[in-house]
Structures are given as C-alpha cells and as structure tokens.
Amino acid sequence: MKGNGWATIPLCEVLEKNEDTIEIDVASRYQQVTVRLWGKGVVPRGEITGMELAGGRRFRVRAGHFILSRIDARHGAFGIVPDELNGAIATNDFPSFAINDQRVVPGFLKWLSRTHSFIEHCRAASEGTTNRVRLKEDRFLQMQIPLPPKPEQDRLVAKLDFAAAKIEEAKNTKADIELEAEAMLHSA
C-alpha cells in the first residue's frame, strides 16, 4: 500500500494486541461481539449465559479497539469497537488491538481497513484449507500501511465521514421517496 509519499510502517507499530481475558462464570450473562463483512461495523452478537459457553476463557474487548475476524478478514471483517460494546466478550477468532492514537487516528485506520488493498493484504496473510482459512496474526501485524501525518489523517477522515453521511442521507431520501410513491400508487 503506497500513498502520496507518506511514511510506510508495519501495523505492529500502531496496534497492540489486547490480552485482557476473563474466566467464564457459569452463573453470569455475557454480551458477545461480532464483526460484519466489508467494513460494515462491529455489532452485538447477543447475550449468552456462562452455562451456554461451557466455561473456559474469552477475551474482553474495549471501546476504541480495532477488532477483526480471523476467519473473515479476507472479506473485510474489521472495525472499531463502539462504546456500547465496551467489555463485551469474544473468542480467540476475534482478536482486538489497542490503537496507538499518538500515531494513527482511529478513523483513519477504520477507513484504511475498508480499502481493496488492505483486504487483499489480509487475503495474502490468510492460510488454511476450504472453510478453515484464517488470518495469521503475525503476518497481519507485519503488513505495511501508509501513514500520513496526523493532520492529514484528520483531514482525510473528515472528508470521508462527510461523504459517508451524504451517501446515507441520499439513501434515506430515496427510501422516503419510494415509500411516498408506493403510497400514491395504492391510493390511485
């Protein structure tokens, strides 16, 4: 991944593996987390009892961490853990990483992880047989990414967030128009 003469660094320089594990208590309830494909976000997977989890240990994710699905990284399953999922649990197949926000703006990492080249690098860093292909974390963390200066990251994130909001607004307007048209057709 190259970008406008910016520095290129390995991901391990801006991501630190989250090792916060908890022992599952069979009498407690836990919120699970999952990551949608193609950069569609980090969402609740649902609550489950410790009894249903059959004990063991899980990783506790933190708001603002970068999380991925080892199995679906090659399909763009990355995201930033939202505030409402702070403290949720995940299996080893969903590693999360603290972001060094002194070097990288979390929103920049979010948008970068949605790019074709980022996903292609993750495909290359995945191996295994059909239905068992998983991202190799060490290869992922050595992946080189472009890193512009923080003011440029902020500028890019602001532009991309603005464009995404406009697209969402257009989708909502289109849906409203379609509903109105349908209502007019039914009344005619």
Side-chain angles (χ1 to χ4, degrees), residues 9-17 64-66 80 96-109 141 145 147-148 150 153:
I9 64 159
L11 269 172
C12 64
E13 288 189 18
V14 294
L15 295 179
E16 182 180 335
K17 177 79 184 274
H65 279 190
F66 184 78
I80 306 291
S96 66
F97 304 85
I99 299 170
N100 178 346
D101 59 8
Q102 297 301 306
R103 294 201 60 201
V104 66
V105 173
F108 179 78
L109 187 58
L141 290 171
I145 63 164
L147 190 67
K150 282 190 74 181
Q153 292 177 46

Side-chain angles (χ1 to χ4, degrees), residues 161-179:
D161 285 349
F162 179 78
K166 288 294 186 188
I167 290 168
E168 192 60 33
E169 186 180 309
K171 285 180 183 177
N172 291 337
T173 300
K174 178 182 179 276
D176 291 346
I177 291 169
E178 287 172 346
L179 284 174

Side-chain angles (χ1 to χ4, degrees), residues 1 11 36-40 66 69-79 109-126 135 140 143-145:
M1 288 184 217
L11 269 172
R36 290 186 176 160
L37 304 179
W38 310 119
K40 301 282 193 231
F66 184 78
S69 165
R70 285 185 206 277
I71 296 168
D72 289 320
R74 66 191 194 279
H75 301 297
F78 310 101
L109 187 58
K110 175 189 83 169
W111 285 110
L112 181 68
S113 70
R114 292 178 177 184
T115 64
H116 177 73
S117 58
F118 191 94
I119 294 167
E120 283 303 310
H121 280 299
C122 289
R123 253 189 211 125
S126 299
L135 180 74
F140 169 74
M143 186 168 80
Q144 299 288 311
I145 63 164

Side-chain angles (χ1 to χ4, degrees), residues 70-72 74-75 93 127-134:
R70 285 185 206 277
I71 296 168
D72 289 320
R74 66 191 194 279
H75 301 297
D93 277 329
E127 60 184 49
T129 58
T130 309
N131 297 329
R132 292 304 219 189
V133 178
R134 283 184 165 71

Side-chain angles (χ1 to χ4, degrees), residues 8 124 140 146 154 157 180:
T8 303
F140 169 74
D154 287 329
V157 169
E180 205 173 299

